[in-house]
Amino acid sequence: MSSVPSRVLMENPHLRMYIEELRLQGKTASYVEQLSREMRSLRSFSIIYPVGDPLFIHIESRPSERSSYNVISPFTMAPMEINKIVEKGLARLITPEMDYTTREEHEKLLNELLDMFLEIDDTLEDFDYKPIYRKGIVEKLAANQTTADIIRNSVILDKVYLGTLEAFIRDQYIEDISCNGVGPIFVEHKIFGSCETNISFSDQEELDAFVVKLAERIGRPVNFRKPIVDASLPDGSRINIVFGSDVSRHGSNFTIRKFSEKPVSIADLISWGTMSSLEAAYLWIMLEHGMSIWFCGETASGKTTALRAASVFINPSAKIVSIEDTPEIVVPHENWVREVTRQGEQGEGDITLFDLLKAALRQRPNYIIVGEIRGAEASVAFQAMQTGHPVLATFHAGSVEKLIQRLTGDPINIPKTYIDILNCVLIQSAVRLPSTGKVERRVLSINEIVGYDPTTQRFDYIELFNWESSADKHEFRGEGNSYLLENKVRTMLGVSPREVHRIYQELYDRAQILDLLVKSKNTDFETVWRTVKEVYHVGTQNVLEKLESVQRI
């Protein structure tokens, strides 16, 4: 950690002003380009880090309170009266010929207009300004270079990007953004947990106006007739908006679930302790042989992250069809059809998960991935699995028993004798570790569905892997306990029952490959994907020997 580089301070006057204000308060902050997971153990911290010019974050611990998350942005520093003058001035300069189709063109156009409207006068103090009139109309606005730079960045952030929210969207360490009504916005930080931000709404009128503007920006307007909107932001993040006090006692609110274009890799999950290398290797063998796996858990348990990470194990030559309400699934395969639902106007033209899943069956996929199964689409998913189309999906259930209850009860009503069409269930949860007191995500169990006995009316399943909380350790029941490996996979490979140990050895070898990637810190998604493709191409042993030889050097 170090002080802010002088170059960064020169290029970002708003950051320079913020740090000067900290100094006057007797505070200091360290500057880092990137955060690390090791910082989770810090009890006291005051850190500034960049999230993309011209935005910075200052995150600071507070005794017995949530950490503070302060956005350092020109947008929050530019005085409101200057912004209003600039907005009116730019509006008068715009002509019908001025048009744009991309963000880049929009930003370029605004910069050209700002060049015409702003006049540099370094005799003025910071945030002082002088309107230059012509025929009673403000033709230009004079300000010093620092103020002009702040105005320029503020306008670009507001008109081209998401203004107040842009820093949250750019911050790769943010998972969720919550505005619960009048007051501060809260964020869930991957390193420092729940934080209170310096962005807040002072009254209901201000919040309502912001929510209406935000909804219009994403093309899904809200009003009192239609007060609830689910949509996607330009970066793919999911947003839920509730407008007005009629349906929300504390007034308008919104929640954003961040989307990461670069998926977390399976090696990352192993290095973080979310799952073991042996569990990951087991998923690898299951997906290679066309087994259907559902990733289950509560909200924010990491189901989708685990599914995305495991998708690299599907055969690289496979055709995949993904179906979602909002696009979150990212797979590296070339033959990938990505489909999303559509909400029509006034109930007409809706395209649901149910519709897309039925259509997917006609597209001859090798794998179908459903972002989240909730209702009637579950019956189509089981039809797909029954006709030889394996399905990966996420599902809200905290245990195998709860999963079966939901599947066999209203409104899904899957016949009990069909349940074993689903091969494997992974249960994941956010847990508080006794050793550190920190909340982490852990795979609690991986279970094989064996079948249903109508005589005893019992479902049979094998908990092949489980998580031991006291030791924070993932345990494997060992050879001789896997129904899928010893029956289905063995049969597909043409291995005799006496040689079933070969399949377990393959499991251990693949776990070793993943361990070597973690040990060498080659955990990024692309590296894992290249390694998996190489295994499919030249075999497990060749790749393992190659990685071991590199490790010895």
Side-chain angles (χ1 to χ4, degrees):
M1 296 186 186
S2 62
S3 59
V4 183
S6 56
R7 175 189 56 81
V8 175
L9 291 175
M10 287 291 292
E11 294 173 356
N12 297 278
H14 56 288
L15 176 61
R16 188 171 67 246
M17 291 177 180
Y18 181 88
I19 290 175
E20 178 62 21
E21 184 64 29
L22 281 183
R23 189 185 65 80
L24 293 174
Q25 295 173 16
K27 295 182 178 181
T28 60
S30 299
Y31 180 83
V32 296
E33 287 291 338
Q34 287 189 321
L35 303 181
S36 67
R37 286 183 64 86
E38 287 70 30
M39 292 178 177
R40 294 164 69 92
S41 61
L42 295 175
R43 298 297 180 192
S44 177
F45 49 85
S46 179
I47 300 169
I48 292 174
Y49 62 94
V51 291
D53 284 343
L55 301 172
F56 298 83
I57 303 301
H58 176 212
I59 193 160
E60 185 178 22
S61 58
R62 298 187 295 185
S64 305
E65 289 186 79
R66 286 184 174 92
S67 299
S68 66
Y69 179 101
N70 295 320
V71 176
I72 309 170
S73 164
F75 188 78
T76 58
M77 286 192 161
M80 187 65 70
E81 65 270 16
I82 297 182
N83 283 338
K84 289 180 179 178
I85 294 170
V86 172
E87 193 162 318
K88 288 180 180 179
L90 295 182
R92 282 191 288 270
L93 292 173
I94 295 173
T95 65
E97 294 76 27
M98 294 178 178
D99 198 9
Y100 58 87
T101 56
T102 66
R103 268 187 172 181
E104 290 74 18
E105 291 175 357
H106 191 188
E107 188 168 343
K108 182 182 177 183
L109 174 60
L110 281 175
N111 273 315
E112 290 171 354
L113 293 172
L114 287 164
D115 287 341
M116 296 164 60
F117 186 70
L118 295 175
E119 185 170 292
I120 304 302
D121 182 351
D122 283 324
T123 64
L124 295 171
E125 297 293 324
D126 289 344
F127 297 121
D128 281 349
Y129 61 93
K130 184 171 68 178
I132 300 173
Y133 291 90
R134 183 182 179 187
K135 296 181 180 180
I137 296 173
V138 178
E139 185 180 57
K140 287 179 176 289
L141 186 73
N144 68 16
Q145 188 66 59
T146 295
T147 306
D149 288 344
I150 289 174
I151 291 170
R152 182 182 298 273
N153 285 323
S154 176
V155 170
I156 297 298
L157 284 171
D158 184 41
K159 302 302 179 186
V160 181
Y161 300 96
L162 289 174
T164 304
L165 299 180
E166 187 63 25
F168 304 136
I169 299 301
R170 292 189 190 182
D171 190 346
Q172 63 176 314
Y173 305 107
I174 295 299
E175 292 183 337
D176 296 286
I177 304 152
S178 301
C179 170
N180 304 320
V182 173
I185 290 177
F186 296 90
V187 295
E188 193 66 30
H189 200 280
K190 292 179 181 178
I191 309 296
F192 299 112
S194 180
C195 303
E196 181 179 331
T197 78
N198 62 333
I199 307 299
S200 64
F201 299 96
S202 57
D203 56 53
Q204 195 63 55
E205 186 178 349
E206 180 189 8
L207 176 56
D208 285 349
F210 179 85
V211 164
V212 169
K213 181 180 177 181
L214 176 61
E216 289 173 350
R217 181 73 66 88
I218 60 178
R220 298 290 297 277
V222 292
N223 51 50
F224 290 109
R225 289 181 57 194
K226 189 178 180 182
I228 300 176
V229 162
D230 285 299
S232 296
L233 296 177
D235 75 320
S237 298
R238 291 192 296 182
I239 183 168
N240 171 265
I241 298 174
V242 179
F243 175 66
S245 55
D246 289 355
V247 291
S248 175
R249 302 299 293 177
H250 293 127
S252 298
N253 62 77
F254 60 87
T255 302
I256 298 172
R257 294 284 303 277
K258 284 285 298 296
F259 170 80
S260 175
E261 191 65 45
K262 182 182 178 182
V264 168
S265 76
I266 202 79
D268 286 328
L269 296 181
I270 294 167
S271 68
W272 300 340
T274 304
M275 67 173 68
S276 68
S277 58
L278 205 59
E279 287 174 319
Y282 174 81
L283 295 177
W284 189 347
I285 292 176
M286 291 297 105
L287 293 175
E288 179 182 354
H289 292 91
M291 300 297 163
S292 293
I293 304 175
W294 286 18
F295 295 75
C296 301
E298 306 90 354
T299 300
S301 60
K303 303 182 296 295
T304 303
T305 299
L307 187 155
R308 288 171 65 182
S311 67
V312 295
F313 295 143
I314 299 173
N315 193 310
S317 63
K319 178 179 180 179
I320 299 172
V321 177
S322 66
I323 299 166
E324 304 170 86
D325 280 326
T326 52
E328 289 184 291
I329 302 299
V330 176
V331 300
H333 300 66
E334 293 179 358
N335 196 358
W336 170 34
V337 179
R338 192 180 201 184
E339 298 178 344
V340 294
T341 59
R342 183 183 72 191
Q343 188 173 349
E345 294 295 327
Q346 299 179 343
E348 295 183 0
D350 286 359
I351 303 296
T352 65
L353 284 175
F354 184 84
D355 299 324
L356 292 176
L357 198 45
K358 286 195 298 182
L361 296 180
R362 305 187 193 102
Q363 297 170 2
R364 300 188 66 184
N366 298 109
Y367 254 104
I368 298 173
I369 301 178
V370 185
E372 183 182 339
I373 286 180
R374 292 186 296 267
E377 64 274 3
S379 61
V380 183
F382 269 81
Q383 288 177 37
M385 292 186 287
Q386 198 170 24
T387 54
H389 299 90
V391 174
L392 292 185
T394 67
F395 194 88
H396 281 274
S399 66
V400 177
E401 292 83 357
K402 291 287 192 298
L403 167 69
I404 292 172
Q405 284 176 14
R406 287 198 60 198
L407 288 176
T408 57
D410 290 333
I412 300 176
N413 293 314
I414 300 295
K416 293 179 179 179
T417 52
Y418 285 17
I419 292 297
D420 63 346
I421 297 170
L422 173 60
N423 303 118
C424 186
V425 176
L426 180 147
I427 305 294
Q428 186 160 319
S429 183
V431 298
R432 190 173 297 278
L433 299 183
S435 57
T436 64
K438 295 280 187 180
V439 174
E440 303 280 3
R441 292 178 173 91
R442 292 290 183 265
V443 171
L444 302 185
S445 65
I446 297 179
N447 309 270
E448 298 179 344
I449 306 298
V450 177
Y452 172 71
D453 186 343
T455 306
T456 61
Q457 296 189 350
R458 290 183 58 184
F459 291 94
D460 293 326
Y461 67 91
I462 299 168
E463 187 182 74
L464 192 62
F465 295 89
N466 72 285
W467 178 65
E468 173 51 52
S469 59
S470 60
D472 188 19
K473 184 179 179 182
H474 301 275
E475 297 182 341
F476 174 47
R477 291 188 63 173
E479 293 186 28
N481 287 295
S482 173
Y483 167 75
L484 294 177
L485 288 176
E486 295 174 26
N487 291 276
K488 296 203 171 187
V489 172
R490 180 186 62 77
T491 303
M492 290 178 182
L493 293 174
V495 175
S496 72
R498 286 180 297 177
E499 295 183 301
V500 73
H501 66 275
R502 287 169 46 194
I503 298 175
Y504 284 100
Q505 188 57 52
E506 180 72 13
L507 178 71
Y508 300 138
D509 288 345
R510 294 192 186 189
Q512 180 67 9
I513 287 174
L514 296 170
D515 279 332
L516 288 170
L517 290 177
V518 172
K519 189 175 181 180
S520 61
K521 299 190 184 306
N522 289 313
T523 61
D524 65 279
F525 191 84
E526 283 300 320
T527 300
V528 175
W529 171 234
R530 285 196 302 271
T531 303
V532 170
K533 285 199 294 184
E534 195 174 359
V535 169
Y536 272 100
H537 182 61
V538 302
T540 303
Q541 279 303 314
N542 288 327
V543 174
L544 181 56
E545 289 171 8
K546 175 184 171 183
L547 290 175
E548 286 177 333
S549 65
V550 171
Q551 194 72 30
R552 286 193 293 268
I553 296 175

